[in-house]
Amino acid sequence: MRCLRFLRRGLLSMLPTTNKRAAGPDDDDARATDPKRPKVAAQNGSTNGVVVPEIDEDLHSRQLAVYGRETMRRLFASHVLVSGLNGLGAEIAKNLALAGVKSVTLHDVKNVEMWDLSANFFLSENDIGKNRAAACVSKLQELNNAVIISALTEELTTDHLSKFQAVVFTDIGLDKAYEFDDCCHNHCPPISFIKAEVCGLFGTVFCDFGPEFTVLDVDGEDPHTGIIASISNDNPAMVSCVDDERLEFQDGDFVVFSEVHGMSELNDGKPRKVKEPKILRFKSLRDAMRDPGDFLLSDFSKFERSPVLHLAFQALDKFKKEYGRNPAPGCEQDAQSFLKCAADINEDLTDHKLDTIDEKLFRHFASGSQAVLNPMAAMFGGIVGQEVVKACSGKFHPLYQKKLEEANTFVVGSGALGCEFLKNLALMGVSCSPKGKLTITDDDVIEKSNLSRQFLFRDWNIGQAKSTVAAAAASAINPNLCIDALQNRACPDTENVFHDTFWEGLDVVVNALDNVNARMYMDMRCLYFQKALLESGTLGAKCNTQMVIPHLTENYGASRDPPEKQAPIFEDYFSNRVKQLTFTFPEDAATSTGAPFWSAPKRFPRPLQFSVADPSHIHFIVSASILRAESFGIAIPDWAKNTSRLADAVSEVAVPQFEPKKGVSIVTDEKATSLSSASVDDASVIDDLLAKLEECAKRLPPGFQMKPIQFEKDDDTNFHMDLISGFANMRARNYSIPEVDKLKAKFIAGRIIPAIATSTAMATGLVCLELYKVIAGEHPIEDYRNTFANLALPLFSMAEPVPPKVIKHQDMSWTVWDRWSIKGNLTVAELLQWFSDKGLTAYSISCGTSLLYNNMFARHKERLNKKVVDVAREVAKVHVPEYRKHLDLVAACEDDDGNDIDIPLVSVYFR
């Protein structure tokens, strides 16, 4: 049920997942700008004489974090044709509109039929009988008013193609495709040609970006950096970096030097082959069909499937040419005719002839060939959308119904992933029966930056609750959707909302979250209630999916990602503290071993001299003063935001001359802590702080209360990012570090996760294909797939989920999915005996963060004859809600030999 494999400069194939292995696509070669095509971006915002609008950084901040300004400018100048507005065409057009290309022309000569509504989310029953392209224009335009959306409803000719940088076909026969690709391939400059098709659980993508195509950035990753400690005068020179830094360079890598003292000739800024452009030579469609070349695999368990599917798509084209339609589902006559088409084509092959034709696979292919399943369309729409971006920008290296209706589904999060999931689920018919229900929850509201990826939202929705707006939009796609929108964060504080009864009634949980802590909590709840969890995430052009299936797979928390890098805190003084530091440790200072104190990675700082003539200084004072005033409830005069007026006021402030103090102790070990629990009395520290606060309070007016400011990175009028970027750049000047603009500071301080619509669409499509298996039930672990994909390369890697770790003790075994239940209102002694009967000695029992019993404490023996629930309530002060009929305990146990045994969670049902 997943994407299988691309040809090395061409085809992508897919296979079904109803058998033991699912597969996925890959294309090893890049897609970027043609070297002969005029450059489409300039620093002044023009493109070869065509004015490109300025980038709206609030709207496109997440895309900018992935692509950068130059790539975005190229996108903004690109004209794209999408021909064939079936479900796949709609997904591609949606992704391109969100990406922000100059224009999208929709082409189709077919009219809307009822079956189109199952995959094209732009259409409704009112559109039946209308031209498919024309019916989609207004809805697509709502996604991005900056993109010109138009419809072309006449028969397409080669004359139409010359004004486009890229053309995409989703509903075209091979003969016409040959004609159009020949035209695009031979055009000067070449036009990027993409042919894509989804047939049931199968799909194909072909890309031809011309005889010579230049990839400006192969993978989109930031170059690795390192701090140099020294460079020898040897030949070849030895470059040494600081001892405690792990470098990501490898033999053969090329580097660029900067800020090197003593060898200034290295600071010439010449790119020493960090990322060189790459020239690709694409085959035409005719050549690729005759000689497809190497198929790139994503699932090595289906190594032989790619040439089989290559033949199947050719057979489908031959069948449609002879009969004027797709094979009918379940029709034996059509299946036989389809097999004959395949056999005739195979017989004429020479180099790539198949020894045998898999009749079962070909029958599956024929039976579902007319269907455009939404998850498949979403996944392929993400892949093809990214290929168009590559073609236009040079960025990255190119490439069971009743059960569904009655499913009780919980979607957590209504952002970029959540919007795509709701659209997919509505089109799939999930929770669309009175017996089914879809619950969506998100405590966030819509912001401007959401509009470039979260396609269910419009600019008039800014400030409204995400879940409510998304639910209404999903209901418009499928009026039968039974959806309940909540504005609660799923966390321990809302377990009265998402209570035991709620969880026990669920069939599946779909995560659409953007942080690890929330994912860990949902993973814990799904483990507890033994519910399937479908997990996914994106980072720029990368995406991953993980299937968490009760008793079959490991849980999400079984493997942890490395901790996030912390955003740096900058000092609040840029002169006095630096002067004190350089006074205590002069530039020629040495350590106790005689080594220079100021050696890499430490830099000797320079104090800043404040100047009203420096705009950066004044802007920093403006933002700091305004936020300080807001915190203290001080009225802000209008003139305060006028930099010239403020400069006049600041110039009149008398700043005392700073004199460094002798004998000041400065901690130089960055790993050292300022307080030691062994040497500091916490109570005395707290008392001292309270005394200082009380003295401050005496000088404040009656009723004074400070106003904490909640950091908001996406509001350019609140001065938050102005202050942070000012802090960063003043500190950078202290240490002669390159300064950053406000957008870069926003990426770092706001921890903005790079995000684009294409990888989001692909991730959700992959997850929803797995959802079919979850809802159907009784699938073995071999049927499920976890996926990692990088649309920049592109890379697609699929693997069977890892089973949970099995723990054995005597004749028992269990996994993380198991929970031991005990009926009855037991005493602590009776609970200990229950463990003893299993050959276990429980030496410690806790409930939440409270310890109920530990055999090391003599006074705990008094609790042995008390009921466990009474000990929890009265001694440990554990709150047991009225709706809760049991108490969850964690017991530390050992066997008869004194070995610790990890046992499952224990639930004592006392009611």
Side-chain angles (χ1 to χ4, degrees):
M1 249 184 181
R2 258 200 296 251
C3 193
L4 174 61
R5 14 200 151 214
F6 293 70
L7 298 184
R8 188 170 279 279
R9 280 182 185 87
L11 291 174
L12 164 142
S13 304
M14 282 215 35
L15 66 132
T17 58
T18 49
N19 52 13
K20 284 194 174 181
R21 290 288 190 274
D26 205 331
D27 182 347
D28 184 61
D29 292 296
R31 324 286 187 246
T33 55
D34 188 282
K36 300 173 186 175
R37 190 181 299 283
K39 294 196 79 158
V40 294
Q43 289 188 352
N44 61 3
S46 66
T47 303
N48 240 24
V50 178
V51 176
V52 179
E54 287 300 315
I55 300 172
D56 187 334
E57 294 182 353
D58 287 337
L59 176 63
H60 294 291
S61 60
R62 275 61 174 178
Q63 283 178 254
L64 279 165
V66 181
Y67 295 137
R69 285 189 174 89
E70 289 306 310
T71 298
M72 290 293 290
R73 289 193 178 106
R74 294 187 188 101
L75 278 179
F76 284 7
S78 300
H79 301 271
V80 182
L81 170 74
V82 178
S83 177
L85 268 296
N86 52 20
L88 177 57
E91 290 282 349
I92 295 168
K94 175 257 293 179
N95 291 333
L96 294 176
L98 293 174
V101 296
K102 177 70 173 178
S103 74
V104 177
T105 300
L106 308 178
H107 168 259
D108 211 315
V109 296
K110 294 181 179 179
N111 292 334
V112 178
E113 300 179 30
M114 179 61 77
W115 70 271
D116 286 313
L117 274 59
S118 67
N120 187 330
F121 49 89
F122 291 128
L123 303 175
S124 67
E125 292 188 25
N126 295 331
D127 295 315
I128 294 175
K130 299 178 183 177
N131 177 273
R132 290 200 299 189
C136 293
V137 169
S138 62
K139 294 285 184 65
L140 187 60
Q141 187 68 74
E142 290 179 358
L143 294 183
N144 194 339
N145 288 325
V147 178
I148 301 169
I149 309 295
S150 61
L152 183 63
T153 59
E154 61 193 62
E155 289 289 344
L156 201 65
T157 67
T158 54
D159 294 336
H160 289 107
L161 305 182
S162 60
K163 69 176 183 179
F164 301 105
Q165 276 73 47
V167 294
V168 182
F169 295 89
T170 69
D171 192 2
I172 188 175
L174 269 178
D175 290 342
K176 204 67 178 176
Y178 288 148
E179 177 188 350
F180 289 154
D181 179 58
D182 289 344
C183 172
C184 293
H185 192 86
N186 298 320
H187 191 272
C188 188
I191 301 166
S192 296
F193 174 93
I194 299 175
K195 178 182 180 295
E197 188 175 2
V198 166
C199 299
L201 296 174
F202 303 82
T204 179
V205 175
F206 168 82
C207 297
D208 175 8
F209 293 175
E212 287 191 353
F213 182 72
T214 303
V215 182
L216 303 178
D217 182 349
V218 173
D219 58 11
E221 299 290 339
D222 290 332
H224 299 303
T225 60
I227 300 175
I228 297 171
S230 64
I231 304 177
S232 73
N233 284 319
D234 301 330
N235 187 13
M238 173 69 73
V239 179
S240 301
C241 293
V242 295
D243 294 337
D244 59 350
E245 182 171 10
R246 180 180 179 273
L247 295 181
E248 311 248 353
F249 301 121
Q250 299 177 6
D251 290 344
D253 286 352
F254 287 75
V255 298
V256 171
F257 292 97
S258 64
E259 304 175 57
V260 177
H261 299 287
M263 291 185 176
S264 57
E265 63 272 17
L266 292 178
N267 300 326
D268 56 12
K270 291 180 180 178
R272 287 167 170 84
K273 205 175 179 181
V274 176
K275 281 190 178 181
E276 285 202 324
K278 181 176 181 180
I279 304 296
L280 299 177
R281 293 170 176 82
F282 284 83
K283 290 182 179 180
S284 69
L285 180 60
R286 292 180 190 273
D287 292 341
M289 293 303 292
R290 287 192 298 266
D291 181 16
D294 296 330
F295 291 88
L296 297 180
L297 301 180
S298 62
D299 189 334
F300 287 89
S301 65
K302 292 184 175 175
F303 182 85
E304 77 292 344
R305 286 293 175 83
S306 296
V308 174
L309 297 179
H310 183 51
L311 175 62
F313 275 101
Q314 294 179 78
L316 179 62
D317 183 77
K318 180 179 176 66
F319 182 97
K320 290 195 289 187
K321 193 184 303 181
E322 292 181 4
Y323 296 96
R325 58 177 176 82
N326 287 77
C331 177
E332 177 60 25
Q333 184 176 348
D334 280 3
Q336 290 294 336
S337 299
F338 180 74
L339 286 168
K340 185 178 184 305
C341 290
D344 291 345
I345 296 172
N346 190 51
E347 191 63 32
D348 293 337
L349 297 176
T350 53
D351 296 336
H352 303 282
K353 185 175 181 178
L354 300 181
D355 294 333
T356 59
I357 291 179
D358 186 339
E359 288 198 11
K360 182 179 179 181
L361 180 64
F362 274 68
R363 286 176 182 274
H364 279 308
F365 186 102
S367 183
S369 63
Q370 188 173 1
V372 181
L373 292 177
N374 174 259
M376 289 287 291
M379 181 183 64
F380 272 81
I383 295 170
V384 175
Q386 195 63 51
E387 295 304 297
V388 175
V389 169
K390 296 170 187 176
C392 296
S393 69
K395 188 78 169 181
F396 303 152
H397 201 291
L399 136 97
Y400 305 77
Q401 197 59 33
K402 184 178 180 183
K403 284 189 174 182
L404 288 174
E405 291 175 349
E406 296 182 355
N408 195 342
T409 310
F410 187 23
V411 178
V412 187
S414 188
L417 288 167
C419 284
E420 289 285 343
F421 276 128
L422 285 186
K423 175 260 296 177
N424 293 353
L425 298 175
L427 291 169
M428 292 166 66
V430 174
S431 306
C432 289
S433 150
K435 294 183 179 179
K437 184 180 180 181
L438 192 158
T439 302
I440 174 84
T441 191
D442 196 313
D443 67 339
D444 203 2
V445 296
I446 298 166
E447 300 171 353
K448 186 177 182 180
S449 63
N450 301 147
L451 303 182
S452 66
R453 305 167 333 281
Q454 301 171 21
F455 80 102
L456 294 182
F457 306 146
R458 305 293 182 265
D459 52 7
W460 56 82
N461 297 132
I462 292 175
Q464 299 175 15
K466 283 185 175 181
S467 59
T468 303
V469 175
S475 296
I477 294 172
N478 189 338
N480 293 323
L481 182 65
C482 299
I483 187 167
D484 185 16
L486 303 177
Q487 289 78 48
N488 303 95
R489 183 187 297 252
C491 63
D493 293 339
T494 58
E495 289 181 7
N496 60 323
V497 178
F498 307 113
H499 43 65
D500 294 9
T501 303
F502 171 85
W503 274 95
E504 288 163 357
L506 294 177
D507 295 307
V508 64
V509 178
V510 179
N511 266 0
L513 295 164
D514 62 359
N515 68 88
V516 173
N517 289 338
R519 288 185 171 105
M520 292 296 294
Y521 173 76
M522 291 304 298
D523 178 61
M524 179 189 71
R525 299 299 280 170
C526 288
L527 271 178
Y528 185 85
F529 291 101
Q530 302 188 14
K531 301 298 179 182
L533 172 64
L534 308 189
E535 169 60 47
S536 59
T538 68
L539 181 66
K542 303 170 187 173
C543 68
N544 70 281
T545 67
Q546 181 180 354
M547 304 304 110
V548 179
I549 312 299
H551 303 287
L552 289 183
T553 73
E554 68 177 9
N555 61 308
Y556 172 81
S559 58
R560 296 294 301 271
D561 293 329
E564 294 179 325
K565 291 183 178 179
Q566 296 295 312
I569 306 299
F570 298 99
E571 298 288 344
D572 55 359
Y573 298 107
F574 312 111
S575 179
N576 293 356
R577 292 194 179 193
V578 173
K579 290 177 180 177
Q580 180 67 62
L581 178 62
T582 56
F583 177 82
T584 307
F585 298 102
E587 194 165 6
D588 59 355
T591 65
S592 57
T593 62
F597 177 82
W598 295 106
S599 59
K602 295 191 289 291
R603 291 190 181 199
F604 186 75
R606 309 287 177 184
L608 298 186
Q609 183 63 44
F610 176 77
S611 171
V612 294
D614 189 323
S616 297
H617 290 188
I618 293 299
H619 283 113
F620 174 76
I621 295 295
V622 169
S623 56
S625 301
I626 288 174
L627 293 179
R628 186 81 164 173
E630 286 183 9
S631 292
F632 284 90
I634 300 172
I636 302 170
D638 293 337
W639 61 264
K641 298 179 183 180
N642 184 314
T643 53
S644 60
R645 293 274 306 273
L646 189 74
D648 293 338
V650 171
S651 63
E652 298 176 3
V653 176
V655 180
Q657 185 70 25
F658 177 76
E659 294 293 337
K661 299 176 183 178
K662 294 182 179 180
V664 173
S665 176
I666 299 177
V667 176
T668 60
D669 182 2
E670 61 184 20
K671 297 185 175 72
T673 56
S674 58
L675 294 178
S676 170
S677 58
S679 60
V680 177
D681 183 354
D682 287 346
S684 65
V685 172
I686 294 171
D687 290 342
D688 183 56
L689 287 173
L690 288 173
K692 290 179 179 178
L693 287 172
E694 288 171 0
E695 285 301 314
C696 291
K698 293 176 182 177
R699 299 194 295 269
L700 295 173
F704 172 82
Q705 187 171 2
M706 285 191 70
K707 175 190 173 186
I709 297 177
Q710 187 70 32
F711 174 60
E712 175 48 64
K713 62 184 179 295
D714 289 319
D715 183 355
D716 275 346
T717 66
N718 63 13
F719 293 95
H720 294 189
M721 284 312 307
D722 299 84
L723 178 67
I724 288 176
S725 60
F727 266 130
N729 289 328
M730 295 304 101
R731 195 61 171 164
R733 291 186 185 186
N734 282 145
Y735 287 92
S736 303
I737 299 170
E739 298 180 31
V740 298
D741 59 19
K742 192 164 74 170
L743 181 65
K744 181 66 174 177
K746 180 190 287 190
F747 291 161
I748 299 170
R751 297 186 182 179
I752 287 180
I753 299 174
I756 48 179
T758 49
S759 56
T760 303
M762 182 180 182
T764 57
L766 288 166
V767 168
C768 288
L769 288 171
E770 298 298 304
L771 180 63
Y772 285 122
K773 307 170 192 174
V774 173
I775 297 299
E778 299 181 0
H779 277 266
I781 191 173
E782 294 84 3
D783 284 0
Y784 291 99
R785 284 295 179 273
N786 294 342
T787 303
F788 172 79
N790 186 337
L791 291 172
L793 298 176
L795 167 70
F796 302 88
S797 176
M798 297 184 178
E800 188 178 299
V802 177
K805 178 184 176 182
V806 178
I807 299 173
K808 295 183 179 180
H809 171 69
Q810 295 182 353
D811 59 346
M812 299 181 293
S813 63
W814 59 84
T815 72
V816 69
W817 287 101
D818 289 295
R819 179 157 53 110
W820 287 348
S821 298
I822 307 174
K823 304 291 185 181
N825 195 5
L826 304 182
T827 63
V828 173
E830 289 170 336
L831 179 60
L832 295 177
Q833 183 60 46
W834 187 87
F835 284 117
S836 180
D837 293 342
K838 295 179 177 294
L840 296 168
T841 299
Y843 57 84
S844 180
I845 299 172
S846 59
C847 181
T849 59
S850 301
L851 183 64
L852 303 188
Y853 172 80
N854 191 298
N855 62 10
M856 293 178 61
F857 301 118
R859 57 189 174 85
H860 281 197
K861 292 181 180 179
E862 301 172 1
R863 304 178 182 179
L864 289 174
N865 294 322
K866 293 184 177 181
K867 302 292 187 183
V868 173
V869 67
D870 292 337
V871 174
R873 283 172 172 160
E874 299 167 10
V875 180
K877 307 299 182 185
V878 173
H879 173 64
V880 183
E882 287 300 320
Y883 61 82
R884 182 69 47 81
K885 298 180 180 179
H886 65 277
L887 202 64
D888 293 320
L889 307 176
V890 174
C893 297
E894 58 186 17
D895 61 17
D896 295 337
D897 297 325
N899 301 311
D900 281 332
I901 305 293
D902 291 329
I903 69 167
L905 189 71
V906 178
S907 296
V908 176
Y909 285 80
F910 55 87
R911 288 178 179 161

